[in-house]
């Protein structure tokens, strides 16, 4: 059944477009991955040459960069929900997300573990794709007029649980909590402040993600500048570059 659009409850100051949030998330993610791939590779390779003081400083830099990266996923989860709600073709949107997740898996495994295939970890786009599938099923269930309210609630809860289990089973980034965050942002999308507060409660064990949730109420509901489809290639591309840096300098992964 076609989605019944409902107006978003707006706040007074909303000036951030979807593309601005997307670039903030991309920068945060890149800083995180530079630390997780390049910085870690450099320190591992040169550990015997570093003094105790240098090791401490490198560790502080590493943890600071990883903390800065906590902003990325909540923003990408939010943008997934916005894309799901506003895309004109959900089937095309889903296929694009799936293909990008598959395309990114080898660069992700090489960058993070130095292997072509690492079943112990799957890239974050797998989590986003599973979240997308959960939203599709939840939306389908919500508008089944023959179902009672409690049946809808029970069925939606079951779909979310199965989605979370699949994310946990395949070891995708953030596993079931990533799915839960996507769903909270979806159900509260009409209320930006409540969505931000609810999302942060789900993500509270990662307090450095707070800037992401602070930004959400300032989203103005607009995409921003168009012609950004190449942006989707940024994820596998930047991972490939970071892996290449480690290979060129022969740093341990």
């Amino acid at each position: 059944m076609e989605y019944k659009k409902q107006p978003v409850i707006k706040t007074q100051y909303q000036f951030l477009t979807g593309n601005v949030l997307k670039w903030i998330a991309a920068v945060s993610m890149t800083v995180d991955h530079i630390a997780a791939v390049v910085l870690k590779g450099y320190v591992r390779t040169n550990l015997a040459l570093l003094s105790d003081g240098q090791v401490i400083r490198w560790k502080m830099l590493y943890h600071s960069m990883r903390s800065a990266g906590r902003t990325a996923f909540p923003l990408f989860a939010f943008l997934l929900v916005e894309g799901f709600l506003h895309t004109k073709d959900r089937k095309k949107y889903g296929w694009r997300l799936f293909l990008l997740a598959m395309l990114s898996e080898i660069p992700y495994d090489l960058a993070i573990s130095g292997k072509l295939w690492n079943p112990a970890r799957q890239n974050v786009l797998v989590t986003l794709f599973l979240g997308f599938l959960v939203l599709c099923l939840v939306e389908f269930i919500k508008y089944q007029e023959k179902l009672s309210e409690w049946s809808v609630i029970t069925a939606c809860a079951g779909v979310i649980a199965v989605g979370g289990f699949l994310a946990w089973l395949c070891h995708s980034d953030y596993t079931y909590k990533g799915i839960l965050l996507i769903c909270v942002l979806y159900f509260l999308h009409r209320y930006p402040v409540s969505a931000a507060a609810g999302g942060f409660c789900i993500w509270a064990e990662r307090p450095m993600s707070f800037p992401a949730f602070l930004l959400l109420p300032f989203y103005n509901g607009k995409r921003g500048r168009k012609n950004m489809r190449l942006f989707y290639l940024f994820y596998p591309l930047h991972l490939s570059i970071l892996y290449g840096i480690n290979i060129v300098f022969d740093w341990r992964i």
Side-chain angles (χ1 to χ4, degrees):
M1 184 174 292
E2 185 179 356
Y3 171 65
K4 301 175 183 178
K5 290 187 178 179
Q6 296 177 312
V8 174
I9 309 301
K10 293 184 175 293
T11 56
Q12 185 177 1
Y13 302 103
Q14 293 180 311
F15 57 91
L16 296 176
T17 66
N19 285 340
V20 170
L21 292 179
K22 192 179 294 182
W23 280 112
I24 292 172
V27 170
S28 170
M29 175 181 66
T30 303
V31 170
D32 180 37
H33 288 163
I34 289 173
V37 180
V38 176
L39 186 58
K40 179 183 283 188
Y42 168 79
V43 173
R44 280 181 174 179
T45 304
N46 297 283
L47 186 61
L49 304 175
L50 300 174
S51 66
D52 291 343
Q54 288 175 318
V55 171
I56 291 173
R57 286 192 291 272
W58 280 116
K59 283 186 177 181
M60 289 178 61
L61 177 61
Y62 172 83
H63 289 297
S64 296
M65 294 174 71
R66 295 306 305 270
S67 294
R70 298 311 95 201
T71 300
F73 183 79
L75 292 180
F76 283 128
F78 175 78
L79 292 167
L80 172 75
V81 172
E82 287 296 306
F84 172 81
L85 292 174
H86 296 104
T87 183
K88 296 179 181 178
D89 190 339
R90 285 181 180 167
K91 184 179 291 186
K92 185 177 179 180
Y93 186 93
W95 272 111
R96 186 168 59 221
L97 188 59
F98 171 76
L99 292 174
L100 186 61
M102 296 302 100
L103 176 66
S104 301
E105 189 57 33
I106 289 178
Y108 175 82
D109 288 337
L110 286 173
I112 300 299
S113 64
K115 302 176 182 178
L116 278 173
W117 170 247
N118 180 14
R121 294 186 67 176
Q122 313 305 323
N123 73 80
V124 72
L125 292 173
V126 174
T127 306
L128 294 176
F129 176 69
L130 290 173
F132 171 82
L133 292 181
V134 167
L135 295 186
C136 287
L137 290 172
V138 165
E139 189 109 316
F140 175 78
I141 293 167
K142 279 173 58 179
Y143 296 107
Q144 295 302 303
E145 297 177 356
K146 295 181 180 180
L147 294 178
S148 67
E149 183 177 353
W150 279 109
S151 296
V152 169
I153 293 172
T154 302
C156 287
V159 167
I160 294 169
V162 171
F165 174 74
L166 290 175
W168 172 82
L169 190 65
C170 68
H171 305 288
S172 63
D173 267 359
Y174 302 108
T175 65
Y176 67 92
K177 286 199 172 180
I179 302 298
L180 189 57
L181 175 62
I182 290 169
C183 292
V184 167
L185 295 175
Y186 165 76
F187 284 112
L188 296 175
H189 77 274
R190 291 187 61 216
Y191 310 95
V193 175
S194 298
F200 184 68
C201 288
I202 297 297
W203 228 237
E205 66 180 37
R206 299 175 177 87
M208 296 309 295
S209 66
F210 178 72
F213 297 102
L214 190 63
L215 292 172
L216 298 189
F218 296 98
Y219 171 62
N220 63 12
K222 298 179 181 179
R223 180 187 299 176
R225 293 183 61 185
K226 297 183 179 180
N227 301 321
M228 290 188 64
R229 290 189 178 182
L230 289 178
F231 180 88
Y232 293 104
L233 296 176
F234 179 80
Y235 185 75
L237 183 61
H238 90 282
L239 287 171
S240 300
I241 291 172
L242 295 178
Y243 172 70
I245 291 172
N246 275 6
I247 293 300
V248 168
F249 289 98
D250 197 25
W251 291 338
R252 191 181 308 163
I253 298 174

